[in-house]
């Protein structure tokens, strides 16, 4: 209600805000970078985008309500990544998300364990997944997010998180156990 | 895919996102469903591959420094406008609307299982947390007349507190705990040299019999609802012991 509220509250962040931001949000830089790296499939692009997202987060910092700082930051990181993809690699966002997958993966746990043993192979398989599948795997398996956190980061209901994870895992298993040449992911 | 669960609930189970009752149900389903058993095995193997492959990529050393420097500059002159603020609000409103609509389309069982209930992961985590030194009880007493009034004013409900020493489950004390975002009462019982946590919180759902046990990470739990309270007893003692204790609560 005060006359300074609007101008100061939204626009100008001072050194006190910066200290708080560095304490609450900046420690999650690795999470921001990791998510960007896997969404963009490139370390150097991820570096730019993670930095941009971090600065954007700072501008919005007064809107942060003090909850889960990592989830709040990752939501901004994800949006920044999608904006970047839209601008630079629109094709990736058009990859069919709801592809019918009623085909049961024939992979046995043993076959998977062998195929998944190789970091390079696993990374490549992960990168062949459409970005919306890739992101739930990264958030769940690498970042250890709960369904609720993933739902808030990716802006979908919790039930959708579950079905996206189910499909993503299935596709990843398939990519891992199929010959490499069939994996060509981003054709139109 | 012939079993509906293998593409849905199975994953919530694997991720510890089902509530205690549904996790136990799913385990019973696993006993007879070959497809789910196979799918679960494959999913677990995939998970362990992902976790062992060291795929996590941390930020390059210079990035943090670079961002710090930018923040310093930005903190002095960061500017937006109320237009930007309004645009942000409009986006937020649109997101809320979409999320809201999508939510209503969800099957009810998912909503109740994954939104409003306490998940098995939360229960196991709370149990493990309580076993850390000094965390087991806030009020250590074998006297129910000490433990019960202790909760008074600390919670919005009064948990039923009884000592079952004569039946082999001495009351050791109580504590406040948080499951999900809910404040719950935790009653601590002994069983030989083991500890049992009984989590109690109010519910509007009707009574249910003692649910067959669930298990995770070597812990067993049983779940039931009785007279407006929801209970979950968890421990490393046998499921049969837990069942016995649960029956004492219902008597």
């Amino acid at each position: 209600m005060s006359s300074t509220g609007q101008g100061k509250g939204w626009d100008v962040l001072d050194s006190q805000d910066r200290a708080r931001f560095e304490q609450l949000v900046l420690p999650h830089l690795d999470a921001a970078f990791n998510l960007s790296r896997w969404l963009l499939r490139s370390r150097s692009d991820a570096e730019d985008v993670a930095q941009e997202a971090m600065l954007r987060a700072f501008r919005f910092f007064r809107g942060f309500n003090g909850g889960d700082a990592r989830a709040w930051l990752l939501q901004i990181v994800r949006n920044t990544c999608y904006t970047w993809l839209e601008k630079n690699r629109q094709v990736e966002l058009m990859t069919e998300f709801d592809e019918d997958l009623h085909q049961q993966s024939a992979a046995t746990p043993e076959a998977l364990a062998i195929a998944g043993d190789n970091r390079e192979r696993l990374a490549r398989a992960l990168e062949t997944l459409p970005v919306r599948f890739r992101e739930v795997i990264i958030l769940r398996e690498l970042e250890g997010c709960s369904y609720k956190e993933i739902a808030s980061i990716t802006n979908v209901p919790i039930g959708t998180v579950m079905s996206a994870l189910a499909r993503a895992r299935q596709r990843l298993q398939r990519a891992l156990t199929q010959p490499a040449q069939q994996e060509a992911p981003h054709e139109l | 895919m012939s079993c509906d669960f293998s593409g849905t609930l199975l994953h919530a189970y694997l991720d510890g996102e089902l509530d205690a009752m549904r996790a136990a149900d799913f385990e019973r389903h696993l006993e007879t469903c070959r497809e789910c058993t196979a799918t679960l095995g494959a999913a677990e193997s995939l998970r362990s591959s992902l976790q062992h492959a060291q795929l996590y990529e941390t930020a390059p050393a210079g990035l943090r420094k670079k961002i710090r420097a930018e923040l310093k500059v930005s903190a002095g002159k960061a500017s937006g406008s109320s237009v930007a603020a309004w645009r942000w609000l409009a986006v937020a409103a649109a997101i809320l609307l979409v999320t809201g609509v999508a939510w209503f389309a969800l099957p009810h069982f998912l909503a109740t299982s994954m939104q409003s209930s306490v998940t098995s992961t939360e229960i196991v985590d709370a149990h493990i947390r309580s076993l850390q030194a000094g965390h087991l009880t806030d009020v250590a007493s074998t006297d129910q007349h000490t433990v019960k009034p202790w909760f008074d004013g600390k919670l919005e409900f009064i948990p039923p507190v009884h000592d079952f020493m004569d039946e082999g489950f001495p009351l050791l004390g109580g504590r406040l705990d948080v499951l999900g975002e809910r404040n719950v009462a935790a009653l601590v019982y002994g069983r030989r040299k083991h500890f049992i946590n009984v989590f109690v919180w109010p519910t509007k759902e009707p009574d249910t019999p003692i649910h067959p046990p669930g298990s995770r990470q070597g812990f067993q739990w049983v779940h039931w609802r009785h007279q407006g309270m929801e209970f979950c007893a968890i421990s490393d003692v046998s499921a049969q012991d837990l069942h016995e204790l649960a029956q004492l609560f219902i008597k």
Side-chain angles (χ1 to χ4, degrees):
Chain A
M1 278 301 151
S2 78
S3 57
T4 56
Q6 181 74 27
K8 262 201 167 152
W10 189 267
D11 301 335
V12 184
L13 293 113
D14 53 30
S15 60
Q16 221 176 338
D17 290 314
R18 182 163 60 89
R20 219 167 74 85
F21 185 84
E22 287 189 6
Q23 193 191 352
L24 287 176
V25 183
L26 200 57
H28 300 294
L29 178 63
D30 281 339
F33 179 81
N34 183 56
L35 181 61
S36 309
R37 182 259 171 262
W38 286 104
L39 292 189
L40 308 180
R41 300 185 296 148
S42 145
R43 276 187 74 88
S44 66
D45 291 335
E47 202 171 334
D48 293 343
V49 171
Q51 178 173 355
E52 188 191 330
M54 207 41 115
L55 296 176
R56 201 187 276 191
F58 184 54
R59 284 200 296 276
F60 292 135
F61 189 44
R62 290 262 170 103
F64 172 55
N65 62 13
D68 180 350
R70 182 183 64 164
W72 178 79
L73 174 67
L74 289 183
Q75 192 176 3
I76 296 171
V77 170
R78 176 187 180 266
N79 288 342
T80 313
C81 285
Y82 272 74
T83 307
W84 189 93
L85 286 172
E86 228 162 73
K87 223 157 87 192
N88 298 284
R89 289 196 225 136
Q90 213 170 18
V91 176
E92 288 196 28
L93 294 178
M94 281 154 44
T95 317
E96 191 65 42
F97 182 48
D98 266 326
E99 184 189 312
D100 208 28
L101 271 171
H102 288 281
Q103 168 195 349
Q104 171 69 1
S105 160
T108 63
E110 293 73 27
L112 272 169
I114 294 161
D117 225 13
N118 180 328
R119 186 201 188 268
E120 276 321 301
R121 178 135 197 223
L122 202 50
R124 237 179 308 130
L126 201 50
E127 290 186 344
T128 64
L129 295 190
V131 63
R132 283 171 208 277
F133 288 135
R134 212 181 314 140
E135 70 184 0
V136 289
I137 295 277
I138 298 304
L139 290 171
R140 175 63 219 166
E141 305 290 12
L142 301 193
E143 205 52 59
C145 292
S146 68
Y147 283 13
K148 205 168 154 190
E149 289 170 315
I150 298 174
S152 94
I153 293 166
T154 61
N155 268 321
V156 299
I158 289 182
T160 307
V161 172
M162 180 183 70
S163 54
L165 261 170
R167 290 194 178 150
R169 283 172 173 150
Q170 216 183 324
R171 285 185 78 131
L172 189 55
Q173 282 167 4
R174 228 171 40 179
L176 273 171
T177 47
Q178 264 173 2
Q181 63 268 29
Q182 284 177 28
E183 287 173 13
H186 300 301
E187 77 274 50
L188 267 173
Chain B
M1 177 173 305
S2 51
C3 178
D4 283 346
F5 290 161
S6 66
T8 53
L9 283 190
L10 181 142
H11 294 269
Y13 171 76
L14 172 70
D15 292 318
E17 295 272 345
L18 290 183
D19 65 41
M21 201 164 72
R22 284 183 175 80
D25 277 343
F26 188 77
E27 276 167 10
R28 232 154 315 289
H29 169 73
L30 272 178
E31 284 166 13
T32 57
C33 179
R34 271 200 182 140
E35 187 184 328
C36 280
T37 308
T39 310
L40 186 66
E44 276 170 344
S45 159
L46 179 68
R47 150 166 300 174
S48 92
S49 295
L50 282 168
Q51 285 172 351
H52 288 108
Q54 298 182 310
L55 293 166
Y56 202 102
E57 297 202 17
T58 54
L63 185 57
R64 196 173 304 259
K65 229 177 180 176
K66 216 152 80 182
I67 290 172
R68 273 227 170 84
E70 293 251 17
L71 288 178
K72 216 171 225 172
V73 178
S74 186
K77 59 162 201 200
S79 67
S81 66
S82 50
V83 174
W86 278 113
R87 199 179 297 157
W88 187 243
L89 278 178
V91 169
I95 288 167
L96 273 181
L97 187 67
V98 170
T99 314
V101 169
W103 184 248
F104 278 109
L106 259 192
H108 178 69
F109 78 95
L110 266 187
T112 53
S113 172
M114 299 168 69
Q115 185 83 22
S116 62
S117 295
V118 170
T119 68
S120 56
T121 301
E122 286 164 347
I123 286 168
V124 173
D125 285 352
H127 181 67
I128 293 172
R129 212 161 53 224
S130 77
L131 300 177
Q132 319 287 318
H135 285 233
L136 193 58
T137 53
D138 292 335
V139 51
S141 170
T142 55
D143 181 1
Q144 63 199 56
H145 304 294
T146 307
V147 176
K148 190 168 182 142
W150 180 85
F151 282 109
D152 203 16
K154 296 186 177 72
L155 289 167
E156 286 162 358
F157 60 96
I158 301 168
V161 182
H162 307 285
D163 180 25
F164 301 118
M165 168 83 98
D166 295 342
E167 291 85 355
F169 296 96
L171 176 68
L172 302 178
R175 134 185 128 257
L176 293 180
D177 213 319
V178 177
L179 286 181
E181 280 152 12
R182 189 193 311 262
N183 292 320
V184 303
L187 305 172
V188 183
Y189 289 89
R191 180 63 166 174
R192 292 179 285 272
K193 287 193 170 161
H194 301 264
F195 297 114
I196 303 171
N197 269 297
V198 180
F199 296 105
V200 188
W201 63 95
T203 180
K204 291 198 172 87
E205 303 287 318
D207 288 6
T208 55
I210 303 163
H211 208 77
S215 69
R216 184 179 283 271
Q217 294 166 244
F219 299 106
Q220 277 70 243
W221 67 80
V222 295
H223 175 275
W224 69 99
R225 296 197 193 100
H226 185 62
Q227 296 180 346
M229 292 285 164
E230 194 153 349
F231 299 80
C232 190
I234 176 166
S235 178
D236 56 349
V237 303
S238 73
Q240 200 186 336
D241 281 347
L242 290 178
H243 193 86
E244 224 174 279
L245 176 62
Q247 275 176 326
L248 294 170
F249 269 89
I250 294 175
K251 252 187 219 163

